[in-house]
Amino acid sequence: MANDQTPGAPAGTKARAIPDVPKLMAGKRGLIMGVANNHSIAWGIAQALHGAGAELAFTYQGGAFGKRVLPMVEKLGSKIVQEVDVENEQSLQTLFTRLQEEWGRLDFVVHSIAFSDKEELKGRYVDTSRANFQRSLTISCYSFTEIARLALPLMTDGGSLITLTYEGATRVMPSYNVMGVAKAALEASVRYLAADLGPQGVRVNAISAGPMRTLAGAVIGGARYVYRVSRDAAPLRRNVELTDVGGAALYYLSDLSAGVTGTVHFVDAGYHAIGLPPDGTAAPSASGE
């Protein structure tokens, strides 16, 4: 993906493999929520954690996702894989009861869950329906707070929670609409949760990843345009890949970041630092994107 350059654009840098740190997460147990396929950000994070020695539990939503996720996580030796609907309180409670019974403790949680009606993302934010607004905020934002509350009793020796956000939380992005509002609320939640959970030694942070070719990103209108402009305007002149986000997550979920909480960490090849893209960045490419 890093080499998919617009004609005439400067060559970008390349994503690097995560350094071999096989013992960094040894003895740690954590929950990964949000894997949909092998292109999911949550999967990139899971691979980094597994490589560092962590024991992982996974959730998925619905049989269709289960058919894809189950074969993937079996290769990582995961014994706890459960279908969960974050809109259903009992479904979440059942998950954490199982974690309590089978593990007894929890060291970290990865929350990579978001949803909005893709048809409403195509229009204007002002036209967002009440029903879609409420559901988008419930799934994309409130679920993280509820999961944090349920995880807290299991984090008897401290812990770390991370969630995934995007630049659309702070700046207007094409076809992002209510998801931008949901992500803004999610980032505020990170700060309040960090304050609430800090006294118990539990840290809460967010990773703001740049545009990636994921299943979730594909439903956003103009995704290829955003992907290309972000690549050409970013200081590193490339889009980020799963290994980039996986490495950042490994830092936040390990003891390397023991003194860090309440932050939003950008993994976007530096795009967030750019005020105005270089001249010609937004011009249509030869492929018609």
Side-chain angles (χ1 to χ4, degrees), residues 91-246:
S91 179
L92 281 170
Q93 186 61 64
T94 298
L95 167 67
F96 282 92
T97 297
R98 182 180 179 185
L99 291 171
Q100 173 68 62
E101 293 173 348
E102 297 190 28
W103 277 358
R105 75 168 210 281
L106 194 61
D107 297 300
F108 61 85
V109 175
V110 175
H111 173 273
S112 183
I113 299 171
F115 172 84
S116 186
D117 184 337
K118 65 180 181 181
E119 294 303 317
E120 294 204 14
L121 292 180
K122 295 177 182 178
R124 304 182 302 170
Y125 169 67
V126 72
D127 296 321
T128 301
S129 67
R130 180 187 297 269
N132 186 54
F133 182 93
Q134 292 175 335
R135 193 172 188 212
S136 298
L137 268 288
T138 295
I139 296 174
S140 309
C141 176
Y142 180 70
S143 65
F144 185 53
T145 296
E146 188 167 23
I147 289 162
R149 184 170 64 250
L150 292 168
L152 190 59
L154 298 178
M155 293 185 162
T156 53
D157 190 32
S160 177
L161 298 97
I162 61 170
T163 187
L164 275 297
T165 184
Y166 176 56
E167 183 70 8
T170 56
R171 294 192 290 179
V172 175
M173 293 293 178
S175 301
Y176 208 59
N177 296 340
V178 70
M179 279 306 304
V181 176
K183 292 297 188 182
L186 181 64
E187 292 184 8
S189 296
V190 165
R191 293 184 284 272
Y192 280 93
L193 288 170
D196 286 346
L197 278 53
Q200 190 171 316
V202 175
R203 300 178 292 107
V204 186
N205 295 286
I207 292 176
S208 183
M212 301 179 71
R213 286 174 174 164
T214 63
L215 185 63
V219 304
I220 299 174
R224 289 191 300 169
Y225 169 77
V226 173
Y227 186 83
R228 179 177 58 79
V229 171
S230 298
R231 176 196 65 203
D232 295 347
L236 292 180
R237 295 296 191 271
R238 68 174 177 89
N239 291 113
V240 294
E241 300 187 20
L242 294 183
T243 53
D244 296 310
V245 184

Side-chain angles (χ1 to χ4, degrees), residues 21-26 28 51-54 250-251 254-256:
V21 284
K23 297 182 180 180
L24 183 61
M25 299 296 287
K28 301 282 189 181
L250 191 57
Y251 165 74
S254 73
D255 293 338
L256 291 174

